[in-house]
Amino acid sequence: MIARYSRPAMREVWSEENKFRIWLGIELLASEALAREKVVPRADVEKVRAGVERSLADLPGLVARAKELERTLNHDVIGFTTAVTERINDPASRWLHFGLTSSDVVDTAFAVQLVQSAKLLLEAFKTVRKAVAARAREHRMTPCIGRSHGIHAEPTTFGLKLALMYDELGRAMERIERAGKAAAVGKVSGAVGTSAHLSPMVEQHVCRKLGLRPAPLATQVVQRDIHAEFMGALALAGASLERWAVEFRHLQRTEVLEAEEPFTRGQKGSSAMPHKRNPITWERITGLARVLRGNAVAALENVALWHERDISHSSVERIVFPDSCTLLDYMLGLVERMMTGLNVYPENMRRNLGLSLGMWNSQTVLLALIRKGLTREAAYELVQRNAMQTWATKHAGRDDADFLAQLRADPEVDRHFAPGELEKLCSVGFHLKHVNARFKAVGLKTT
């Protein structure tokens, strides 16, 4: 499991101690509600509370004892309630878990853990976006070539690339926030969700105190489409991180080298080739995003259960939810480190802009010719013909290949433009005039 690599706060959310802490809270809240209903004597509730407090004071000991009991009982919740009963050590312990089914405790606690995880993930996303925003502002007007199909298209700026990343990560945050709210559903409605042995007031009290919504209707469990939605949000967030990991991997290729992940002192790139500086962290993020997607499929498979409940989902959830939450948290930590230490090479960006010999001006010239009165078809033929001739000159090994010069040398093109007009159109600056507006559109300051 990846859990050991995540940050301590996320590891704590999915620890046995935290799970038992929430279980204890649910049991005590249910007892309090039953006292309000005059089912349980208040004096007995206080004895239950004392046993719960003793359990909270020694959570590792409670976990160890419950696990010991589980080896014989083969039931985790009964192992837990038995261990707590020992700490209550009074006939009042009969009220512990009164009227509850295991899933009342497990699913309600699961919702709390998902809400806790979503909160931590949102905090991590905020930190990453802050790092991305800083680098975007730094390179707001650093020109680089934009690519479609991997081929030179038109100029953009490296800052605009990062502003796009900032915006996409913002959408990932919104999805996780929505999914966290959607997953904040508990149930304390008994063996098949009918509240036969506990009034709905008990469920309302427990859920309200935990910051959850009671399921309007449940079976023995909260319906698993809710949890699949949460997992889908994690998988989609991972896909967004992968999208940028792939981008930076391409930009680190030797023949491109516009950006490079940090290479630390003492780091080795290859066991065989000492010169290598590989994008291994971005590659790791790419691979781990696949795990998140696989886990999302497993969560979707959990939606279909037999009748009011079977247990086929349980074993899956014990793996995929802790792993996915800790995994995404870990990935976000990597992205923060990558963006803070990212090596950016503006000179290589300028060099690469020149590789297409100014042909990234083709659409600019096309539209200018249309404005001059040519049909689109005629203008397209003129511009494409000169672009292909520029490539032919380059491939012939000549050093004078230049799109602007080629256009000027073509009388059918040149006659439509005043002296200096084409030169003014065919500039990098022409493409960057709305950069500030785009920054503002995604909520980024330009200074």
Side-chain angles (χ1 to χ4, degrees):
M1 297 203 321
I2 200 73
R4 66 184 184 275
Y5 297 114
S6 69
R7 287 174 274 208
M10 186 63 80
R11 290 200 299 272
E12 167 61 19
V13 167
W14 294 101
S15 68
E16 289 292 284
E17 287 80 5
N18 188 51
K19 182 179 75 174
F20 275 36
R21 184 183 297 114
I22 302 168
W23 285 11
L24 287 165
I26 293 167
E27 295 285 1
L28 183 56
L29 287 169
S31 294
E32 290 174 350
L34 286 167
R36 291 186 180 186
E37 295 274 279
K38 301 188 185 306
V39 174
V40 179
R42 289 200 174 272
D44 284 355
V45 171
E46 292 309 311
K47 292 176 181 177
V48 170
R49 185 190 309 279
V52 166
E53 290 175 353
R54 283 191 288 272
S55 299
L56 287 169
D58 182 25
L59 276 174
L62 180 68
V63 171
R65 176 57 177 156
K67 295 299 180 185
E68 179 186 9
L69 290 164
E70 185 182 350
R71 284 193 287 272
T72 299
L73 298 166
N74 200 24
H75 197 292
D76 57 346
V77 176
I78 297 177
F80 162 77
T81 57
T82 303
V84 178
T85 295
E86 293 174 351
R87 282 156 176 76
I88 297 172
N89 193 27
D90 187 275
S93 64
R94 69 187 186 278
W95 300 114
L96 184 77
H97 205 67
F98 183 83
L100 302 179
T101 190
S102 296
S103 292
D104 288 333
V105 178
V106 172
D107 275 11
T108 302
F110 187 28
V112 173
Q113 288 175 296
L114 292 178
V115 171
Q116 291 173 341
S117 294
K119 181 180 179 181
L120 291 174
L121 289 171
L122 289 172
E123 290 173 359
F125 263 108
K126 287 178 184 177
T127 302
V128 171
R129 288 185 87 215
K130 184 178 180 180
V132 173
R135 301 310 300 270
R137 285 191 290 270
E138 178 187 352
H139 292 285
R140 177 173 54 90
M141 298 303 291
T142 301
C144 64
I145 192 66
R147 299 171 175 90
S148 58
H149 306 275
I151 307 301
H152 283 203
E154 291 185 341
T156 181
T157 76
F158 193 65
L160 276 178
K161 278 182 183 282
L162 299 182
L164 184 64
M165 182 182 186
Y166 177 87
D167 189 43
E168 183 168 356
L169 297 184
R171 292 194 299 277
M173 286 182 66
E174 290 171 2
R175 293 187 193 102
I176 288 175
E177 185 174 17
R178 288 197 301 268
K181 290 178 180 178
V185 177
K187 60 91 59 180
V188 186
S189 51
V192 292
T194 59
S195 297
H197 306 289
L198 295 172
S199 78
M201 189 281 292
V202 175
E203 180 178 64
Q204 291 165 10
H205 176 76
V206 172
C207 289
R208 183 175 65 252
K209 289 291 188 178
L210 294 173
L212 306 176
R213 302 183 308 281
L217 184 62
T219 58
Q220 191 174 102
V221 295
V222 173
Q223 301 306 285
R224 261 43 202 175
D225 62 290
I226 292 171
H227 308 93
E229 179 181 356
F230 186 93
M231 189 66 78
L234 300 190
L236 193 48
S240 287
L241 297 185
E242 179 187 17
R243 175 261 189 274
W244 290 101
V246 170
E247 174 73 17
F248 291 117
R249 286 167 59 195
H250 282 308
L251 293 179
Q252 189 166 332
R253 294 200 315 265
T254 304
E255 62 272 23
V256 178
L257 200 55
E258 295 182 357
E260 181 184 42
E261 73 172 56
F263 194 83
T264 58
R265 176 182 287 273
Q267 183 176 339
K268 307 297 182 186
S270 165
S271 65
M273 297 169 284
H275 72 281
K276 296 295 292 297
R277 290 160 63 113
N278 301 324
I280 57 170
T281 307
W282 292 123
E283 290 170 341
R284 189 184 315 162
I285 291 166
T286 300
L288 294 178
R290 299 169 187 168
V291 177
L292 287 177
R293 286 196 291 277
N295 288 351
V297 172
L300 288 168
E301 295 289 341
N302 280 348
V303 174
L305 302 177
W306 285 15
H307 305 298
E308 277 61 56
R309 187 258 181 123
D310 65 56
I311 203 172
S312 61
H313 66 289
S314 178
S315 56
V316 179
E317 290 173 351
R318 291 167 191 253
I319 298 171
V320 300
F321 280 90
D323 270 16
S324 294
C325 291
T326 54
L327 177 55
L328 182 56
D329 185 59
Y330 169 67
M331 292 166 69
L332 288 166
L334 293 179
V335 174
E336 179 194 354
R337 179 163 61 86
M338 290 298 96
M339 296 311 301
T340 301
L342 189 70
N343 296 313
V344 181
Y345 302 115
E347 286 298 325
N348 289 347
M349 293 177 186
R350 282 190 282 274
R351 179 203 68 198
N352 291 338
L353 269 167
L355 293 178
S356 50
L357 310 171
M359 282 181 280
W360 36 262
N361 292 300
S362 67
Q363 182 177 198
T364 305
V365 178
L366 168 69
L367 297 180
L369 287 170
I370 292 172
R371 290 190 183 96
K372 302 286 187 181
L374 275 69
T375 66
R376 183 177 185 86
E377 291 73 18
Y380 195 102
E381 192 280 329
L382 276 178
V383 175
Q384 186 182 46
R385 183 180 73 197
N386 282 279
M388 296 306 104
Q389 183 56 49
T390 303
W391 278 129
T393 302
K394 175 67 174 178
H395 295 328
R398 290 170 51 182
D399 294 330
D400 60 343
D402 178 76
F403 184 55
L404 179 59
Q406 180 63 41
L407 290 170
R408 275 297 186 198
D410 186 337
E412 292 186 60
V413 175
D414 190 57
R415 66 187 180 89
H416 294 287
F417 295 96
E421 186 179 1
L422 264 178
E423 285 79 1
K424 185 177 180 180
L425 284 173
C426 295
S427 68
V428 173
F430 178 87
H431 295 269
L432 309 186
K433 52 183 175 287
H434 297 301
V435 168
N436 286 348
R438 291 300 182 187
F439 262 62
K440 292 176 182 177
V442 299
L444 279 173
K445 295 179 180 180
T446 55
T447 55

